[in-house]
Short mmCIF file of all heavy atoms in Angstrom, two decimals:
data_model
loop_
_atom_site.label_atom_id
_atom_site.label_comp_id
_atom_site.label_asym_id
_atom_site.label_seq_id
_atom_site.Cartn_x
_atom_site.Cartn_y
_atom_site.Cartn_z
N LYS W 181 -56.88 -23.17 21.87
CA LYS W 181 -56.79 -24.29 21.02
C LYS W 181 -55.69 -25.24 21.31
O LYS W 181 -54.55 -24.71 21.56
CB LYS W 181 -56.75 -23.85 19.56
CG LYS W 181 -57.89 -23.03 19.07
CD LYS W 181 -57.80 -22.58 17.68
CE LYS W 181 -59.01 -21.82 17.19
NZ LYS W 181 -58.87 -21.33 15.79
N PRO W 182 -55.87 -26.52 21.33
CA PRO W 182 -54.75 -27.40 21.64
C PRO W 182 -53.66 -27.26 20.58
O PRO W 182 -53.96 -27.22 19.40
CB PRO W 182 -55.38 -28.84 21.61
CG PRO W 182 -56.61 -28.68 20.85
CD PRO W 182 -57.11 -27.26 21.05
N VAL W 183 -52.43 -27.21 21.06
CA VAL W 183 -51.32 -27.06 20.19
C VAL W 183 -50.73 -28.47 19.89
O VAL W 183 -50.39 -29.17 20.79
CB VAL W 183 -50.29 -26.17 20.69
CG1 VAL W 183 -49.06 -26.01 19.81
CG2 VAL W 183 -50.89 -24.78 21.03
N ALA W 184 -50.70 -28.81 18.62
CA ALA W 184 -50.16 -30.08 18.25
C ALA W 184 -48.68 -30.12 18.60
O ALA W 184 -47.97 -29.16 18.39
CB ALA W 184 -50.37 -30.38 16.81
N ALA W 185 -48.25 -31.25 19.17
CA ALA W 185 -46.85 -31.48 19.60
C ALA W 185 -45.98 -31.49 18.29
O ALA W 185 -46.41 -32.22 17.31
CB ALA W 185 -46.73 -32.65 20.36
N ALA W 186 -44.94 -30.77 18.36
CA ALA W 186 -44.05 -30.80 17.13
C ALA W 186 -43.39 -32.13 17.03
O ALA W 186 -43.02 -32.76 18.00
CB ALA W 186 -42.99 -29.69 17.36
N PRO W 187 -43.30 -32.67 15.82
CA PRO W 187 -42.68 -33.97 15.64
C PRO W 187 -41.26 -33.89 16.14
O PRO W 187 -40.53 -33.01 15.88
CB PRO W 187 -42.79 -34.29 14.14
CG PRO W 187 -42.92 -32.87 13.49
CD PRO W 187 -43.70 -32.09 14.55
N LYS W 188 -40.83 -34.99 16.81
CA LYS W 188 -39.39 -35.03 17.21
C LYS W 188 -38.55 -35.28 16.06
O LYS W 188 -38.76 -36.08 15.18
CB LYS W 188 -39.24 -36.15 18.23
CG LYS W 188 -40.00 -35.96 19.50
CD LYS W 188 -39.69 -37.10 20.50
CE LYS W 188 -40.51 -36.84 21.89
NZ LYS W 188 -40.23 -38.00 22.83
N PRO W 189 -37.48 -34.58 16.03
CA PRO W 189 -36.46 -34.76 14.93
C PRO W 189 -35.84 -36.12 14.92
O PRO W 189 -35.62 -36.69 16.06
CB PRO W 189 -35.45 -33.63 15.08
CG PRO W 189 -35.55 -33.29 16.57
CD PRO W 189 -36.97 -33.54 17.00
N ALA W 190 -35.59 -36.73 13.75
CA ALA W 190 -34.93 -38.03 13.74
C ALA W 190 -33.53 -37.89 14.27
O ALA W 190 -32.86 -36.83 14.10
CB ALA W 190 -34.93 -38.52 12.27
N PRO W 191 -33.08 -38.96 14.96
CA PRO W 191 -31.76 -38.88 15.49
C PRO W 191 -30.71 -38.75 14.35
O PRO W 191 -30.81 -39.38 13.33
CB PRO W 191 -31.57 -40.17 16.30
CG PRO W 191 -32.65 -41.13 15.70
CD PRO W 191 -33.72 -40.20 15.33
N ALA W 192 -29.83 -37.94 14.58
CA ALA W 192 -28.75 -37.68 13.57
C ALA W 192 -27.90 -38.93 13.42
O ALA W 192 -27.52 -39.59 14.48
CB ALA W 192 -27.97 -36.46 13.94
N ALA W 193 -27.50 -39.19 12.22
CA ALA W 193 -26.54 -40.34 11.95
C ALA W 193 -25.23 -39.99 12.54
O ALA W 193 -24.76 -38.82 12.54
CB ALA W 193 -26.40 -40.59 10.45
N PRO W 194 -24.54 -41.03 13.12
CA PRO W 194 -23.20 -40.70 13.69
C PRO W 194 -22.28 -40.26 12.62
O PRO W 194 -22.20 -40.72 11.55
CB PRO W 194 -22.82 -42.11 14.30
CG PRO W 194 -23.61 -43.14 13.59
CD PRO W 194 -24.86 -42.43 13.27
N ALA W 195 -21.45 -39.26 13.06
CA ALA W 195 -20.58 -38.75 12.05
C ALA W 195 -19.52 -39.73 11.72
O ALA W 195 -19.03 -40.42 12.58
CB ALA W 195 -19.94 -37.46 12.73
N ALA W 196 -19.21 -39.79 10.42
CA ALA W 196 -18.17 -40.78 10.02
C ALA W 196 -16.77 -40.30 10.48
O ALA W 196 -16.52 -39.11 10.44
CB ALA W 196 -18.26 -40.89 8.43
#
Side-chain angles (χ1 to χ4, degrees):
K181 296 181 179 180
V183 179
K188 294 183 179 180

